[in-house]
Amino acid sequence: MERDLSEKHPPEKQLSHVSDSSDNKENATSIATNLNADHHDHPETETCDQLASPSLKAGVKVEESDNTSHEIEEVDQEEKENDEKIEDNPPPEIHYTLETVSQDIDQFITTLSATPKDAKETTVEESKDEKMSMEIPVFVEKFLDLVEEKVAKHELTEGKGKWGQNPEEDSSFLEAVNRISKLTSSLDGLRSDPNHAALISRNGGIQQRAMACLEDEFRFTLEDIKHNDQDPNTDAKGKQHEADRCVVPESESSVTDNFLGYSDDAVSKLNRIAKEMIEGGFESECCQVYMMIRGQAFDECFVEIGFEKISIDEVQKMQWEALEREIPLWIKAVKEYASIYFVKELKLAEAIFSNYSSISSSLFSNLTRSVLIQLLNFAEAVAMTKRSAEKLFKFLDMYETLRDSLPAMGALFSEEYENELKAESTTARCRIGEAAICMFCDLENSIKSDTGKTPVPGGAVHPLTRYTMNYVKYAGEYIATLEQVFREHSKIERADSTSRPRYESESQNFNNDNDEETQSPFSNQLMRVMDLLDSNLEAKSKVYKDISLSCIFMMNNGRYIVQKIKGSTEIRQMMGDPWCRKKSSELRNYHKNYQRETWSKLLGCLGHEGLQVNGKVIKPVLKERFKSFNMLFDEIHKTQSTWVVSDEQLQSELRVSITAVVIPAYRSFMGRFSQYMTAGRQTEKYIKYQADDLETYIDELFDGNPASGARKRP
């Protein structure tokens, strides 16, 4: 049995087996296992062992124990030698670059952000526990070192316009910032683990510094508009500095025509910076910088236009002459902002925040709102100033500007803000419109209050007539706007009892040829003005003691009114042909009355009645007739040559009509009775004028020349 055992498991074979399997540490540590495996491979050995004596078994065990100890010692020695070799020849150190480590960071971020495969089996708490127990790879610290170095480099050059000189470096920096932001978000789940607190804090600090660099570059690029297309040889303090960032160039091909002075490269850079800041959680800082810089740009636009920021209180204290100069500048500002600056500002915001439509819309709305509030406040402040008729046309200019410019901007805004803008602009426009109505209606008060009793010399056109008709004619240029204003505010206009205290009673006497119900509110108001003017002029005509001069006065003013009405197509259409025919008829009546009052008495001297008795001419009576004629004509010529008829057509009509009446009658009288006068001194004494002389003197009437008088025949 002992021989068989030694043949089956000789010691040399066992040692050889151990030696062959001792090439590495694992084989050395599993010797016992291999030995046990040999027993399992030879079950008959176990049978022999069972049959062997106890002493034999003990001898075998001792021999096996000695052999095992010997093998372990050999393995330990070999392990020691291997460690010494490693210390003498350490493995090569890994060299990290931002480009190489970025790939590892991306994979690490993906791992941290990965969703559990089986959401049913893995709870949120378990997922968080898995993250907290995760070890942070060494390359994360290396990545932070490299990014921090890059940030420090940018901090040294911030604000000096170094961006753009090396596009690859700029892109690398932005990509690094992007990864820092993603890493910050991914590490958020490990924030409660104190083992990772230092790394998370460091990562956050680097992100803060990186975002500060981006914010500074964002601000600098927004401010640096004028340098995009400025000649580098031109001094920044030279003429090109005067080119304001909001001035829109004439050339459509210029880069400044695209984005209010920003080049395409600048807009692209701003877009990338904004994207990184917003995705990194710095949306507020990015938007604040944009609002501040673009708000300053809008302020500079006001300066360029010449319109100053004026508070409501300041407007109330301004003299009208000063305020009148500000209104055209305000109109220019509204039109240019509405048609140019706002359109391009929206385009700029959408280009910079192209991935965030809600942000671009909000920024644009907030920027434009501050400008519009300032413009609308000015309009409302002007509407609250003291009203007077001469301010009407400036107010109508403002009304038209608000009506035409602001609604066109509706498409630029969101529906909510568009409705808000519409409400605010409508309020301002209505207040301007109400003031305009009161001003035009105040024209009635101006007419009524002119109750002067001093006659105009020579029966000329009264200043009130000139003022009123020039006012009405000028209003004709705003006829459509006035129609709209009065139509929209007709209820307010009719309720204004202070400007028309007798509206209901007066309205029944105006324009009998037209139905008020079918006319526009402004047309009715204009009719009232014209009738009030007629009534006032008629009262003033009674101041003249000479009825003939009174008729001249009414003809002068009536002709002036008709000519002004006919000179405005819009006003003439509004007044209507019946009104014009009525005025012309009134003028003819005044003309007839003048001829009757002035020349009928003179023509009576040329009558045949009473000159003959029983067929014989009574010379004394004839002499008295010639004498009376000469005296009356001298008086008429002396007086009426000082009268004024400024309208050449009316003046000619009067002279022609006088000549047509007087000359034929005088010629007939002379032909019939001059032969009865004794030739010589008697003839010269009584026959003072020839017919041609009378025509000459008649043509001197209505010249307004006080020095004129009846001329004696040479």
Side-chain angles (χ1 to χ4, degrees):
M1 293 294 293
E2 183 176 354
R3 182 178 58 83
D4 293 336
L5 286 172
S6 63
E7 291 177 355
K8 293 289 184 178
H9 296 281
E12 294 80 5
K13 183 178 181 180
Q14 293 177 359
L15 291 174
S16 175
H17 179 73
V18 171
S19 177
D20 293 339
S21 62
S22 63
D23 293 337
N24 53 53
K25 183 178 179 180
E26 291 181 359
N27 291 335
T29 56
S30 61
I31 292 175
T33 303
N34 291 334
L35 291 174
N36 290 334
D38 286 340
H39 286 292
H40 288 292
D41 292 338
H42 303 281
E44 67 276 12
T45 304
E46 184 178 359
T47 304
C48 294
D49 290 341
Q50 293 174 354
L51 297 175
S53 62
S55 62
L56 182 59
K57 290 181 180 180
V60 173
K61 289 182 179 179
V62 170
E63 184 179 2
E64 290 178 353
S65 175
D66 292 339
N67 292 335
T68 301
S69 299
H70 177 71
E71 288 296 327
I72 291 174
E73 290 177 359
E74 290 181 355
V75 170
D76 290 340
Q77 181 64 28
E78 183 178 355
E79 202 173 62
K80 183 177 181 181
E81 292 176 356
N82 290 336
D83 290 341
E84 291 176 353
K85 290 180 180 180
I86 292 175
E87 291 177 0
D88 294 338
N89 300 297
E93 183 180 355
I94 300 176
H95 178 67
Y96 289 101
T97 65
L98 188 59
E99 289 72 17
T100 58
V101 78
S102 294
Q103 298 178 2
D104 296 333
I105 289 295
D106 291 341
Q107 183 62 39
F108 178 66
I109 292 172
T110 301
T111 302
L112 284 177
S113 305
T115 304
K117 293 182 178 179
D118 193 344
K120 295 181 179 179
E121 297 180 2
T122 305
T123 64
V124 176
E125 289 76 9
E126 290 173 346
S127 176
K128 184 179 296 186
D129 291 341
E130 290 179 6
K131 285 187 177 182
M132 291 180 61
S133 62
M134 180 180 295
E135 291 293 331
I136 303 299
V138 176
F139 59 77
V140 174
E141 289 284 357
K142 293 294 184 180
F143 173 73
L144 294 181
D145 291 340
L146 292 169
V147 174
E148 188 172 23
E149 179 182 349
K150 187 176 286 289
V151 170
K153 180 179 178 181
H154 274 267
E155 287 175 338
L156 295 175
T157 61
E158 64 179 358
K160 297 179 176 60
K162 296 297 180 65
W163 279 62
Q165 296 182 4
N166 189 343
E168 293 182 0
E169 176 65 21
D170 297 342
S171 297
S172 175
F173 182 77
L174 289 172
E175 290 173 2
V177 175
N178 179 269
R179 287 188 175 88
I180 281 287
S181 298
K182 290 180 179 179
L183 185 60
T184 300
S185 177
S186 299
L187 292 175
D188 188 64
L190 306 178
R191 191 172 297 278
S192 58
D193 187 351
N195 296 326
H196 305 316
L199 183 138
I200 293 175
S201 176
R202 184 189 178 198
N203 182 81
I206 295 174
Q207 185 193 31
Q208 287 279 354
R209 292 170 59 190
M211 288 299 174
C213 290
L214 291 183
E215 181 180 336
D216 290 338
E217 185 61 25
F218 193 72
R219 178 187 295 106
F220 180 81
T221 306
L222 282 172
E223 291 176 339
D224 198 41
I225 308 170
K226 58 181 174 295
H227 297 298
N228 289 327
D229 54 355
Q230 179 176 339
D231 185 352
N233 297 323
T234 301
D235 186 359
K237 296 182 180 179
K239 293 183 178 179
Q240 293 198 17
H241 181 71
E242 299 174 0
D244 189 84
R245 66 188 62 185
C246 282
V247 176
V248 178
E250 296 179 1
S251 174
E252 295 182 357
S253 61
S254 173
V255 293
T256 57
D257 190 51
N258 293 328
F259 300 107
L260 288 171
Y262 296 96
S263 66
D264 292 340
D265 290 341
V267 173
S268 177
K269 181 170 71 173
L270 290 168
N271 174 269
R272 296 182 65 187
I273 294 176
K275 179 176 180 294
E276 296 305 333
M277 292 187 71
I278 293 172
E279 290 188 355
F282 287 75
E283 174 186 332
S284 176
E285 289 81 355
C286 181
C287 293
Q288 286 177 3
V289 171
Y290 186 87
M291 285 289 295
M292 180 183 68
I293 303 303
R294 295 309 304 158
Q296 292 173 355
F298 276 142
D299 290 341
E300 291 181 10
C301 288
F302 277 123
V303 175
E304 180 69 20
I305 293 171
F307 180 73
E308 300 179 2
K309 291 184 176 181
I310 308 175
S311 67
I312 294 179
D313 291 338
E314 290 173 335
V315 172
Q316 298 295 309
K317 297 176 182 178
M318 291 178 68
Q319 296 295 323
W320 171 245
E321 290 75 14
L323 188 57
E324 191 175 19
R325 291 191 295 269
E326 290 294 325
I327 291 176
L329 297 175
W330 175 87
I331 292 173
K332 181 181 179 182
V334 173
K335 289 182 177 180
E336 292 195 3
Y337 273 109
S339 62
I340 300 176
Y341 298 138
F342 285 169
V343 175
K344 294 184 179 295
E345 187 65 38
L346 177 60
K347 186 176 181 180
L348 177 65
E350 289 177 341
I352 294 177
F353 301 93
S354 58
N355 299 322
Y356 312 95
S357 58
S358 60
I359 294 177
S360 64
S361 177
S362 175
L363 288 172
F364 173 72
S365 298
N366 291 333
L367 275 172
T368 53
R369 177 175 176 77
S370 62
V371 175
L372 288 172
I373 287 176
Q374 182 178 343
L375 294 172
L376 293 176
N377 283 346
F378 178 83
E380 294 193 20
V382 171
M384 291 187 289
T385 59
K386 184 179 180 181
R387 298 166 182 175
S388 59
E390 64 270 13
K391 298 180 180 180
L392 172 66
F393 304 108
K394 289 297 183 184
F395 275 60
L396 291 177
D397 288 337
M398 296 180 69
Y399 184 93
E400 290 177 346
T401 300
L402 292 172
R403 179 195 64 192
D404 300 336
S405 299
L406 296 187
M409 296 188 300
L412 303 177
F413 302 102
S414 62
E415 182 178 357
E416 179 181 359
Y417 186 69
E418 179 185 359
N419 294 333
E420 182 181 352
L421 170 64
K422 183 178 180 181
E424 293 179 355
S425 62
T426 299
T427 299
R429 180 166 57 85
C430 286
R431 290 180 178 175
I432 292 290
E434 292 170 7
I437 287 177
C438 293
M439 289 175 189
F440 191 85
C441 293
D442 192 55
L443 186 59
E444 292 184 25
N445 294 332
S446 299
I447 296 172
K448 292 175 184 178
S449 62
D450 193 329
T451 58
K453 300 299 183 181
T454 303
V456 178
V461 177
H462 198 280
L464 176 63
T465 305
R466 293 184 183 276
Y467 172 78
T468 303
M469 294 314 301
N470 285 328
Y471 196 88
V472 169
K473 183 180 179 181
Y474 198 12
E477 299 180 12
Y478 296 85
I479 193 72
T481 302
L482 284 167
E483 285 273 22
Q484 179 183 359
V485 170
F486 272 83
R487 189 180 300 110
E488 291 180 352
H489 304 276
S490 58
K491 294 182 180 180
I492 300 174
E493 183 262 339
R494 288 179 179 273
D496 185 8
S497 59
T498 59
S499 64
R500 287 180 308 284
R502 300 192 303 276
Y503 167 76
E504 294 297 335
S505 61
E506 290 176 352
S507 63
Q508 310 210 354
N509 299 324
F510 295 150
N511 196 24
N512 295 328
D513 296 330
N514 295 280
D515 184 5
E516 281 195 358
E517 297 299 326
T518 63
Q519 293 180 321
S520 69
F522 176 66
S523 177
N524 291 334
Q525 179 63 33
L526 184 59
M527 290 293 182
R528 285 193 289 271
V529 168
M530 298 309 300
D531 284 338
L532 278 173
L533 179 60
D534 282 345
S535 299
N536 189 294
L537 292 174
E538 189 172 349
K540 293 182 184 305
S541 69
K542 291 180 171 56
V543 176
Y544 296 98
K545 296 179 180 180
D546 190 332
I547 296 177
S548 297
L549 181 56
S550 175
C551 293
I552 292 294
F553 173 79
M554 292 302 293
M555 280 191 285
N556 273 325
N557 286 272
R559 175 59 69 94
Y560 188 87
I561 292 171
V562 170
Q563 292 301 104
K564 288 293 183 180
I565 294 296
K566 290 182 177 180
S568 172
T569 303
E570 296 80 9
I571 296 297
R572 180 173 183 175
Q573 290 177 348
M574 181 164 287
M575 298 301 295
D577 290 335
W579 182 90
C580 292
R581 288 194 296 269
K582 179 182 177 182
K583 292 300 296 182
S584 297
S585 176
E586 291 176 356
L587 288 176
R588 287 193 295 271
N589 289 333
Y590 286 124
H591 192 166
K592 290 177 181 179
N593 291 339
Y594 161 75
Q595 284 193 329
R596 183 176 61 251
E597 291 294 332
T598 301
W599 301 101
S600 60
K601 193 177 295 185
L602 180 69
L603 293 175
C605 296
L606 302 179
H608 296 181
E609 297 80 6
L611 288 177
Q612 294 178 339
V613 176
N614 298 324
K616 293 183 179 182
V617 175
I618 305 174
K619 288 185 178 182
V621 176
L622 179 60
K623 292 177 181 179
E624 189 62 29
R625 291 286 183 89
F626 273 110
K627 185 178 179 180
S628 297
F629 179 87
N630 294 336
M631 183 182 64
L632 287 173
F633 187 82
D634 287 346
E635 184 63 28
I636 291 171
H637 180 268
K638 179 181 179 180
T639 301
Q640 297 195 14
S641 62
T642 64
W643 293 359
V644 178
V645 177
S646 55
D647 184 84
E648 293 182 358
Q649 182 179 353
L650 177 60
Q651 187 185 68
S652 177
E653 290 174 359
L654 284 170
R655 290 171 178 174
V656 169
S657 65
I658 294 170
T659 299
V661 171
V662 174
I663 299 304
Y666 188 73
R667 289 183 187 277
S668 175
F669 189 81
M670 285 285 292
R672 176 71 175 83
F673 297 105
S674 62
Q675 59 183 329
Y676 296 102
M677 303 299 293
T678 304
R681 293 180 57 191
Q682 193 176 49
T683 302
E684 294 178 358
K685 181 179 179 180
Y686 295 102
I687 303 177
K688 187 176 181 179
Y689 300 105
Q690 296 297 322
D692 293 341
D693 297 331
L694 292 178
E695 288 188 45
T696 301
Y697 298 145
I698 289 173
D699 286 341
E700 293 178 354
L701 300 179
F702 317 119
D703 276 339
N705 184 7
S708 297
R711 301 177 184 176
K712 293 185 178 180
R713 185 178 57 180

